[in-house]
Amino acid sequence: MISYEELYEYLRKEKFGDNLQKLPMDFMKQFADFLCENKRRISMKGDFFSEDVLKYKKEYENSLTLFNELMLRRKKKILNLVFVAAETGVMKKDFEEMLDDEQHLFERLVLAVSDTDKSINELLDSCSLE
């Protein structure tokens, strides 16, 4: 299971690095476990407004914000890689840094962009001078 500090560090590296940053392959599972543990700690405490509960709730909310920003930044980087791959045919750059779901997304997007380019080229080729 990851910690709040690790999540923050992953986001910091993703923000300031040009390439996709390495995440543990089970990152999503670790993050889900982290959220479940945080929810458990919130519900375990009796007083809804106790200092500990408020602290855990704030950490929970901040964790979701960090996670969403991390995923958004990674998606943007993947989209840039899709455009490069569609233009050059090179698909392996940063591929090893992608999570399984991100690899699947990448492959589907490259295929979609390539199919669209192929359709456009076929349409333009049908109107060529001969």
Side-chain angles (χ1 to χ4, degrees), residues 6 9 11-12 22 32 35 38 43 46 53 58-59 77 80 85-86 88 97 100 103 110-111 119 123 128-129:
E6 288 173 312
E9 187 63 21
L11 175 59
R12 188 189 67 73
K22 180 102 173 128
L35 285 183
N38 226 331
S43 64
V53 170
K58 188 66 172 171
E59 183 177 284
K77 289 179 181 182
N80 285 333
T88 64
E97 305 301 342
D100 289 340
Q103 289 177 2
V110 167
L111 184 60
S119 296
L123 178 64
S128 65
L129 296 175

Side-chain angles (χ1 to χ4, degrees), residues 9-62:
E9 187 63 21
Y10 290 140
L11 175 59
R12 188 189 67 73
K13 286 180 181 177
E14 202 67 55
K15 271 184 179 180
F16 297 111
D18 291 334
N19 297 328
L20 280 172
Q21 301 302 305
K22 180 102 173 128
L23 295 177
M25 289 310 286
D26 63 343
F27 173 77
M28 296 296 187
K29 171 84 170 91
Q30 287 187 33
F31 182 71
D33 291 345
F34 170 77
L35 285 183
C36 289
E37 176 63 22
N38 226 331
K39 282 183 185 179
R40 187 189 63 73
R41 288 189 297 189
I42 291 169
S43 64
M44 229 172 88
K45 301 289 183 182
D47 183 6
F48 190 68
F49 296 103
S50 77
E51 194 171 311
D52 285 342
V53 170
L54 292 175
K55 178 184 145 199
Y56 294 140
K57 283 176 67 175
K58 188 66 172 171
E59 183 177 284
Y60 177 83
E61 292 166 1
N62 288 345

Side-chain angles (χ1 to χ4, degrees), residues 111-128:
L111 184 60
V113 170
S114 297
D115 286 349
T116 300
D117 287 348
K118 183 179 176 185
S119 296
I120 291 170
N121 287 335
E122 287 173 357
L123 178 64
L124 296 177
D125 287 346
S126 69
C127 298
S128 65

